[in-house]
Amino acid sequence: MTFRRLTINELTALEKPFINFLVANTITGNDWAKMKTQEPERASKMIDIFSDFIFEERLRKVAFIQHQEPKELRLFRCGNDKMELIGLQVAAHSPIDFTLMADLSKISPDTEGVKIYRAEKKYTRGRAREIFEMLENGCRISEGGLFEMLHQFS
């Protein structure tokens, strides 16, 4: 597997796409029922393949992700070949808390005590894989508005 197996809840929510996936692989409902009992390893492999397919499809559409901590905010633009980072950091004693939306709306490059840093890197393990790992480690998909706003100030 490239990513991880979908959970039961995720599979349940994706029932129709899973059925379409099985049909595309010439597996009928009866075939699937038999496979689960008579060939559980093969059924398990089909779920793994479907899981990778779903993650690959969803990750292909991700353009921005972010990671928020009280004193640091990392905004990423996920390009085709590289990832760009705009980071914001404040001192531990600062009253700013990046996990609060009210504080985020006050941020600009001129905000006192806010350090802005930038970086970029090419993907080394593949775009989808790296985005997936970042999401699994606390990042979340974002619309990119804050990234774009801060990018304009550079």
Side-chain angles (χ1 to χ4, degrees):
M1 283 191 74
T2 303
F3 304 107
R4 68 166 170 81
R5 179 180 285 207
L6 293 167
T7 65
I8 295 295
N9 289 341
E10 291 167 332
L11 279 169
T12 301
L14 295 166
E15 181 179 7
K16 285 186 180 185
F18 185 63
I19 290 169
N20 291 338
F21 170 80
L22 292 174
V23 169
N25 284 280
T26 64
I27 299 171
T28 66
N30 289 338
D31 293 339
W32 178 245
K34 286 180 190 175
M35 187 186 303
K36 288 190 303 185
T37 57
Q38 296 174 2
E39 300 175 83
E41 288 179 19
R42 183 171 173 225
S44 180
K45 182 72 174 165
M46 293 303 293
I47 293 171
D48 290 348
I49 292 168
F50 177 73
S51 296
D52 277 346
F53 170 77
I54 290 296
F55 280 116
E56 186 72 41
E57 179 183 90
R58 301 283 161 90
L59 292 168
R60 191 176 307 120
K61 298 173 185 174
V62 172
F64 297 93
I65 58 176
Q66 67 185 44
H67 190 269
Q68 287 176 258
E69 295 175 5
K71 302 301 175 194
E72 188 167 14
L73 174 64
R74 290 183 294 276
L75 308 163
F76 301 90
R77 177 169 37 199
C78 308
N80 290 331
D81 302 321
K82 67 181 178 182
M83 188 175 288
E84 298 172 73
L85 162 69
I86 298 177
L88 304 173
Q89 191 172 33
V90 295
H93 64 275
S94 171
I96 294 174
D97 183 338
F98 290 122
T99 61
L100 303 174
M101 287 306 293
D103 283 359
L104 283 179
S105 65
K106 300 176 199 172
I107 299 301
S108 78
D110 301 329
T111 305
E112 187 175 331
V114 175
K115 176 186 169 191
I116 298 178
Y117 58 95
R118 300 172 188 282
E120 63 180 50
K121 78 173 215 66
K122 292 188 177 197
Y123 302 112
T124 56
R125 293 180 314 281
R127 181 184 187 279
R129 181 75 198 161
E130 290 189 34
I131 293 170
F132 175 80
E133 288 171 359
M134 292 175 76
L135 292 171
E136 291 288 295
N137 288 309
C139 284
R140 62 183 176 87
I141 298 170
S142 73
E143 295 296 318
L146 188 55
F147 180 98
E148 293 294 354
M149 180 191 79
L150 292 171
H151 189 263
Q152 290 177 6
F153 292 114
S154 56

